[in-house]
Amino acid sequence: MDVKMYNQFNDIEEQHWWFVARRLIVEKITSRYISASRVVDVLDAGCGTGGNLEMIKEFGAHIYAMEKEAWAAEMATKKSGIAVSKGSLPHEVPFSPLSFDLIFLLDVLEHVENDQDALKVLYSLLRPGGHLVITVPAFSFLWSYHDEYNHHHRRYRLPDLMHKVNAAGFSVRYRSYFNFFLFPLIMLLRYWNEITGMRENDLKLPAPIWNRLLTSLMTKEADLMQRYSLPFGVSALFVAQKDSE
């Protein structure tokens, strides 16, 4: 991603409905499957400008992060107080195998050209019994200028990503789509933009009243997702585990 995009994310990720709701969903689902009392070392693999690090701090005694772009890593360090290392998947990882109990990979995998190798590297970084929490954009038919702008290589269906996760050695403990309620509207808007040739990035901070409404609507999915795997959505979430030895 380029400087303009990182700066945009840095400006809006504390307030924008999508970032706020995603953090809440990830926090609630992770808490359901992973006891923070059993976690020591946690990695945010591809932390961007650090918008998720405060949430991630709840899950471990020692928090680590890596980011491909040095200036984004610096921004994340200033924001979070965590020394963010420069690194990227799959071949420039500045950590040793068996270093972590929990790894977050939040909307990163779609940016990696060789996603299968990336998952294998993450497997090697985890200790036996460790967990990987993944979020990715869902459904290739939702591909739009938003994906091009954000330098995505692909979008995922749950069965396809499950196959890749299993092939890397993981067992899947949880999987679901999310951004479920807004899926029809977002699908229609993206189709309309493609038909009309409108090339706009989706991630702009809406007016406060709309931002509050969208935040409230999407965060309601967090409780629903603790009981059900949602059948469709704009994004997908996985909790995978490395088998204990």
Side-chain angles (χ1 to χ4, degrees):
M1 297 196 296
D2 55 30
V3 176
K4 178 182 177 182
M5 191 180 313
Y6 275 110
N7 284 331
Q8 182 186 22
F9 282 11
N10 188 53
D11 289 343
I12 67 174
E13 63 187 349
E14 295 299 323
Q15 304 174 61
H16 189 283
W17 61 272
W18 186 84
F19 289 102
V20 172
R22 184 188 62 171
R23 281 194 294 270
L24 179 64
I25 288 169
V26 169
E27 178 185 8
K28 284 187 174 291
I29 297 300
T30 303
S31 297
R32 179 183 174 188
Y33 287 91
I34 299 161
S35 172
S37 64
R38 298 181 181 179
V39 174
V40 178
D41 298 305
V42 182
L43 172 66
D44 186 355
C47 70
T49 55
N52 298 310
L53 287 171
E54 282 301 314
M55 178 271 291
I56 288 172
K57 285 178 182 179
E58 299 177 20
F59 290 98
H62 305 115
I63 309 300
Y64 301 83
M66 73 175 189
E67 170 53 43
K68 180 178 181 179
E69 302 295 344
W71 34 268
E74 184 177 346
M75 293 170 72
T77 296
K78 289 179 180 178
K79 183 184 294 185
S80 66
I82 294 168
V84 178
S85 302
K86 186 177 184 300
S88 64
L89 291 166
H91 302 305
E92 297 179 13
V93 176
F95 303 105
S96 301
L98 305 178
S99 291
F100 301 104
D101 304 294
L102 173 61
I103 298 175
F104 289 90
L105 189 72
L106 304 180
D107 285 80
V108 173
L109 195 61
E110 66 273 15
H111 296 276
V112 181
E113 187 170 357
N114 192 328
D115 56 352
Q116 190 67 71
D117 279 359
L119 290 168
K120 290 178 181 177
V121 168
L122 293 168
Y123 185 88
S124 74
L125 291 175
L126 283 168
R127 296 169 183 143
H131 289 81
L132 173 65
V133 178
I134 308 171
T135 60
V136 290
F139 293 115
S140 58
F141 62 77
L142 290 179
W143 186 272
S144 69
Y145 177 68
H146 169 85
D147 297 282
E148 297 173 17
Y149 181 83
N150 285 279
H151 297 216
H152 293 172
H153 288 284
R154 68 196 73 80
R155 302 179 71 91
Y156 293 87
R157 292 172 60 252
L158 287 183
D160 298 331
L161 184 53
M162 185 169 181
H163 175 76
K164 290 177 180 285
V165 168
N166 287 337
F170 290 99
S171 299
V172 174
R173 297 196 63 193
Y174 176 87
R175 59 175 184 160
S176 179
Y177 293 107
F178 67 98
N179 204 350
F180 169 77
F181 293 128
L182 292 169
F183 179 86
L185 176 60
I186 291 172
M187 181 176 66
L188 289 172
L189 285 173
R190 292 196 175 177
Y191 280 162
W192 175 254
N193 288 344
E194 289 299 305
I195 290 169
T196 60
M198 188 176 297
R199 298 180 66 78
E200 288 189 355
N201 176 37
D202 289 354
L203 288 178
K204 294 180 180 179
L205 190 64
I209 187 170
W210 288 109
N211 196 52
R212 288 193 296 270
L213 177 63
L214 293 168
T215 301
S216 176
L217 185 61
M218 188 170 163
T219 53
K220 291 184 187 306
E221 296 180 17
D223 292 331
L224 191 62
M225 289 173 67
Q226 293 187 71
R227 299 193 297 273
Y228 308 104
S229 176
L230 302 180
F232 54 84
V234 182
S235 296
L237 185 149
F238 269 72
V239 179
Q241 186 174 23
K242 182 174 183 174
D243 291 340
S244 300
E245 294 180 351

